[in-house]
Amino acid sequence: MDGGSDRTSEQGVTSVPPVVELREAVAVLGSFPALAGATLTVDGGEIVLLRGPNGAGKTSLLRLCAGLLPLARGEGRVFGFDLATQASSVRPRVGMLGHRNGLYGDLNVAENVSFWGATVGASTEEIEAAMVRLGVADRLRTIPVSRLSAGQKRRTALACLVARRAELWLLDEPHAGLDAQGRDELDAVLHQAVASGATVMIASHELERAGSLAHRIVDVVAGQTREADVGDVGESGGAAS
Amino acid sequence: MSSLRIARLVARKDLAIERRSKVAINQVLPFAAITMILFAFALDSSGGESGSVIESVEVTDPQRVIRTTDVLELVAPGLIWLAVLFSLLILVQRSFAVESDDGALDALRVAGVDPAAIFWGKAVALGIQLLVLEIVLVGIAVLLYRADLPPAGLGMLAITLFAATCGLAFVGTLYGGLTAGFSGRESLLPLLVLPVVAPVLIGATRAVESAFGTDGVALSEGWPWIGLLVVFAVAFGVGGALAFGPLIDEAT
Amino acid sequence: MQPERQQMTSTNSATTEPLSTRAGTGTRATRVLGIATIVMMVWLVAFGLGFSPADRDQEEAVRIMYVHVPTVWLAYLAFVITALCSALYFFTKKHSLGFDRVAGASAEIGVTFMALTLVSGMLWGRITWGVFWQWDARLTTTALLFVSYIGYLSVRRLGGSHHQRAKRSAIIGMLAVIEIPLVHWSVRLWRGLHQEATMASTDLDPKIDGLMLFSLFVGIIAFTLLYVWLLLHRTRSLALEDLLDDQGLDRALDARRHEAATAGATP
């Protein structure tokens, strides 16, 4: 049951079901409603920035879309799969970069990227290309991940994401810990991902950089969502109530 | 990606981590050895000279007379497996600590790979580490406990080690996955695992006894125990693979 | 395959009032059951302590049997019910939380009865045969099972949503029940090879005195009624607890949404 048969996205593509569809979604952490009714639609090829104060529920929103946080109430679909019952089908097509990197500290960079790439059957060339794109292919490749700096770990994690050929990228504060060069590389990687058909959702406090990257901005406040104008990038609150 | 390839991938990844960090070799193995030594202190009351003498022995089975008076030698097989069980707990914790440290288990779940494949891969890696540990412990028992391994018992010993290890690895991986990432897992894991592996302790000890010929036990008496170990391993291999997915799925 | 997410209503056919509006967990059915239990218990005391004769060998100590045998029977029954309900939760399409609650309640009652079994058994063993314990198949299985189900109860307390708890516990509950034959068989094999059962068994000896047998049956029926009564009450109180959680969630949701509204109002 795919909704949105007449939907036109900003790219002018018609009759394509949205990648993410949330309607009054509620997700719970313990007994706390991290998401208290989020409504959001994301079409393929969009870059959406999630903006909001700490504790607003941005991370939970991303984890919900990754199929990591169960849907307690409301409706949610990613790639047409129901998040309440088919979360495991959602996961292979999603790549998430959370606060933690998902790396194995004892293994080196090359081994980590190879492992994650191999889970989707990526070839050695693709794995190599992913590492090159994130700038971890030369002198860093044989260093155990635990000995890398935070920014280098971040870039390695992104390389794993690239190697995994995710169709929906969920990034939680991806620019944090990266130096200027790293941030430029990340932006380039994201543009390239979108160009090859991926969809991106970023939660970030880096409003200028992420804002200029994004096609759309969504404010997340107290577990709920509100659309905002792209032009309001400089302001931290909602433009219109 | 076929499940077999994923399982091999995960197993090789775990073994690579062990190769790099050498936690099992450098920490768990010495721990197991110390445990064996402490057992000796606790049980060998003769001062290690000529073996303890058992004062009064009730001969409850008229066909068997206790042929040795050395306590340590008598209980050596049991002590080996006790040390193995304690080491299993540590190895399982370690196996899943590497996953939850940096959120790799989350990433594995998002990767959408077949959870049963993850189960098999981690169980195989765990089993290999366990097997190496067991071989060393048997060696220590022969040296320290004056246990005597006749050549005829070697085959039975090998089969026992293999069958018991499979069962232990499956149980450990299953419950390790359940408790991974939860606070309080350090005490929850032993509470869950130890009652479940009691049959393995019984079966493996008796089988090793028959392999060693401890206390006059005949070699043929070991086979029913091996049967028990195999049944156990199969039950938890199948059950574990089926249950692992739902279990790791539910951690937040 | 939607998991059950609606408000709680009582599953007891004796009343159609939703659980949320009733004051306690008692209903007409449980009242009838409770009275029956008390009656049977009185009978048990009368027959067990009074009418039935003392045993030829064990004398008065045999009366412990009237408590010990029913409790062990009930403990095992409770665990089987836990496993059954766990399977029903896990494998049916509806994934009804009611099954999970029955499984949890049954396990709690089972653990309690098992503790009673172990204590009464140890007393009986000490008085009659001079030893508190012996490692035969039955006792060993009972002891290990006791610990296993304490573990099961710990797993139920790990937290998360109700369905997460139910899924986890269902798996552990089903695995724990495999232990019964596995441990029993292995200990039987272990003891069987080396030693006859030296202790008198707690099996129902067909040559047992007629009145003693009758008292035993009274005991079994009384305790079974007690088990059902406890199960009904405990399941319902668990349902109320879950309901409380849900209502707590509703309140928390309202609070959070209110927070959003006020946050939106500030510039």
Side-chain angles (χ1 to χ4, degrees):
Chain A
M1 191 193 92
D2 297 323
S5 44
D6 295 320
R7 177 175 291 282
T8 312
S9 75
E10 287 169 14
Q11 278 75 28
V13 178
T14 53
S15 305
V16 173
V19 167
V20 177
E21 264 186 300
L22 299 177
R23 232 190 317 251
E24 290 302 314
V26 172
V28 180
L29 284 176
S31 52
F32 176 70
L35 282 185
T39 304
L40 179 65
T41 308
V42 180
D43 291 310
E46 281 193 291
I47 302 183
V48 174
L49 167 65
L50 299 176
R51 172 176 78 175
N54 290 334
K58 304 190 295 294
T59 304
S60 301
L61 184 57
L62 292 175
R63 286 177 67 91
L64 176 68
C65 295
L68 286 178
L69 200 55
L71 183 67
R73 292 190 196 175
E75 287 171 41
R77 292 187 170 276
V78 173
F79 291 114
F81 294 111
D82 185 354
L83 283 175
T85 53
Q86 298 168 299
S88 45
S89 312
V90 167
R91 291 187 197 146
R93 303 168 71 169
V94 168
M96 170 139 191
L97 188 64
H99 292 303
R100 299 188 295 182
N101 293 314
L103 300 171
Y104 293 107
D106 295 300
L107 300 180
N108 64 36
V109 169
E111 285 164 339
N112 266 284
V113 182
S114 306
F115 175 75
W116 291 107
T119 58
V120 294
S123 65
T124 349
E125 293 85 33
E126 286 177 274
I127 294 173
E128 198 57 39
M131 289 199 287
V132 166
R133 198 135 31 108
L134 269 302
V136 292
D138 32 17
R139 59 181 180 85
L140 290 180
R141 66 187 304 141
T142 50
I143 299 186
V145 163
S146 54
R147 290 209 243 133
L148 296 178
S149 73
Q152 290 164 334
K153 285 184 195 172
R154 220 70 175 125
R155 285 196 280 158
T156 310
L158 281 164
C160 297
L161 215 62
V162 172
R164 276 198 52 230
R165 299 193 230 114
E167 289 170 52
L168 172 62
W169 290 42
L170 303 167
L171 306 175
D172 202 352
E173 312 280 354
H175 293 105
L178 292 178
D179 60 7
Q181 185 192 7
R183 290 171 185 195
D184 288 333
E185 278 165 2
L186 169 60
D187 292 349
V189 164
L190 290 181
H191 278 302
Q192 220 166 347
V194 166
S196 32
T199 311
V200 176
M201 285 170 68
I202 311 180
S204 182
H205 289 299
E206 300 263 340
L207 298 176
E208 265 133 45
R209 183 172 277 271
S212 59
L213 206 54
H215 299 133
R216 256 169 75 199
I217 300 182
V218 171
D219 280 318
V220 182
V221 177
Q224 293 143 83
T225 50
R226 245 191 327 241
E227 295 286 334
D229 289 329
V230 183
D232 294 333
V233 157
E235 296 164 32
S236 52
S241 55
Chain B
M1 275 305 287
S2 83
S3 291
L4 200 58
R5 284 201 62 190
I6 298 277
R8 262 207 349 240
L9 193 67
V10 171
R12 256 193 266 150
K13 179 259 299 175
D14 273 1
L15 290 174
I17 292 180
E18 169 52 29
R19 229 191 348 254
R20 289 297 161 74
S21 61
K22 298 198 177 47
V23 162
I25 295 282
N26 287 346
Q27 294 175 19
V28 185
L29 195 54
F31 161 77
I34 291 277
T35 311
M36 302 274 281
I37 295 174
L38 289 181
F39 284 151
F41 292 165
L43 295 174
D44 189 0
S45 52
S46 71
E49 289 287 327
S50 49
S52 324
V53 175
I54 300 177
E55 291 296 337
S56 63
V57 172
E58 281 177 53
V59 180
T60 49
D61 182 344
Q63 276 130 356
R64 269 188 343 101
V65 174
I66 298 178
R67 262 160 239 181
T68 173
T69 54
D70 189 337
V71 170
L72 267 192
E73 199 185 326
L74 268 181
V75 300
L79 296 180
I80 295 175
W81 289 105
L82 275 181
V84 169
L85 285 191
F86 296 148
S87 311
L88 170 72
L89 295 173
I90 301 181
L91 285 174
V92 169
Q93 302 267 23
R94 165 68 181 160
S95 170
F96 282 93
V98 304
E99 304 290 346
S100 42
D101 266 354
D102 203 17
L105 191 60
D106 259 4
L108 270 176
R109 280 152 61 215
V110 176
V113 296
D114 180 14
I118 305 177
F119 174 79
W120 292 117
K122 290 196 81 70
V124 165
L126 183 64
I128 292 177
Q129 295 173 50
L130 213 53
L131 206 53
V132 170
L133 189 85
E134 287 162 10
I135 294 174
V136 173
L137 288 183
V138 168
I140 293 182
V142 168
L143 292 175
L144 288 189
Y145 295 169
R146 294 177 289 268
D148 218 1
L149 180 61
L154 217 54
M156 166 149 299
L157 182 66
I159 300 178
T160 306
L161 287 187
F162 183 71
T165 305
C166 287
L168 293 178
F170 292 145
V171 173
T173 305
L174 179 63
Y175 287 96
L178 168 68
T179 54
F182 284 107
S183 71
R185 64 182 171 279
E186 293 84 1
S187 37
L188 186 58
L189 183 71
L191 176 61
L192 291 176
V193 166
L194 290 179
V196 174
V197 296
V200 177
L201 178 61
I202 297 174
T205 302
R206 300 283 96 78
V208 169
E209 266 178 9
S210 70
F212 271 73
T214 313
D215 203 25
V217 176
L219 195 64
S220 53
E221 284 182 44
W223 293 113
W225 298 111
I226 300 219
L228 171 68
L229 293 175
V230 169
V231 168
F232 187 91
V234 169
F236 275 96
V238 172
L242 292 174
F244 194 70
L247 276 182
I248 60 167
D249 232 25
E250 292 301 356
T252 38
Chain C
M1 202 172 78
Q2 284 285 333
E4 174 191 284
R5 281 195 243 139
Q6 286 87 19
Q7 287 288 329
M8 217 57 55
T9 51
S10 164
T11 51
N12 183 13
S13 54
T15 171
T16 50
E17 254 184 273
L19 216 54
S20 47
T21 60
R22 259 190 287 115
T25 53
T27 57
R28 191 162 23 106
T30 58
R31 267 189 284 278
V32 167
L33 210 54
I35 293 176
T37 308
I38 293 178
V39 166
M40 290 307 291
M41 282 293 180
V42 168
W43 271 42
L44 177 64
V45 169
F47 276 92
L49 289 181
F51 296 135
S52 72
D55 181 64
R56 195 176 13 143
D57 303 312
Q58 301 178 37
E59 293 160 38
E60 302 294 338
V62 77
R63 300 188 193 278
I64 300 182
M65 174 178 70
Y66 302 128
V67 167
H68 178 74
V69 171
T71 51
V72 71
W73 143 252
L74 240 15
Y76 276 86
L77 175 71
F79 293 149
V80 166
I81 299 241
T82 297
L84 203 66
C85 289
S86 297
L88 283 171
Y89 170 82
F90 196 73
F91 290 115
T92 57
K93 261 212 256 280
K94 228 182 123 211
H95 296 297
S96 161
L97 279 174
F99 286 132
D100 170 62
R101 285 190 281 263
V102 174
S106 189
E108 288 179 10
I109 302 172
V111 165
T112 315
F113 274 133
M114 198 147 253
L116 272 176
T117 302
L118 290 172
V119 168
S120 60
M122 282 198 265
L123 282 176
W124 194 16
R126 177 63 172 162
I127 295 175
T128 317
W129 299 292
V131 284
F132 281 112
W133 190 262
Q134 90 145 358
W135 290 105
D136 71 354
R138 238 182 317 245
L139 269 71
T140 310
T141 311
T142 307
L144 275 178
L145 220 53
F146 182 61
V147 176
S148 299
Y149 277 91
I150 292 182
Y152 170 85
L153 293 176
S154 303
V155 169
R156 287 190 71 85
R157 277 195 286 270
L158 278 178
S161 76
H162 296 152
H163 278 285
Q164 286 178 329
R165 169 198 76 201
K167 209 191 224 190
R168 255 184 244 130
S169 318
I171 294 176
I172 299 295
M174 290 188 283
L175 284 175
V177 90
I178 305 180
E179 267 182 68
I180 302 181
L182 222 48
V183 174
H184 190 101
W185 182 36
S186 43
V187 179
R188 187 69 89 70
L189 207 56
W190 172 31
R191 282 336 212 173
L193 287 181
H194 294 259
Q195 179 179 334
E196 300 279 329
T198 52
M199 247 200 210
S201 66
T202 53
D203 274 342
L204 293 175
D205 180 359
K207 297 191 295 289
I208 207 175
D209 180 79
L211 203 49
M212 289 170 83
L213 197 59
F214 179 72
S215 306
L216 203 55
F217 277 132
V218 169
I220 290 181
I221 294 175
F223 273 93
T224 307
L225 288 175
L226 179 64
Y227 166 73
V228 177
W229 185 79
L230 285 172
L231 190 66
L232 280 176
H233 275 291
R234 184 53 181 152
T235 306
R236 288 183 198 153
S237 79
L238 284 177
L240 287 176
E241 279 179 29
D242 281 355
L243 197 59
L244 206 63
D245 283 341
D246 283 342
Q247 289 181 343
L249 178 60
D250 286 333
R251 271 197 297 277
L253 272 176
D254 286 336
R256 196 132 156 87
R257 289 185 178 143
H258 183 72
E259 187 191 318
T262 52
T266 56

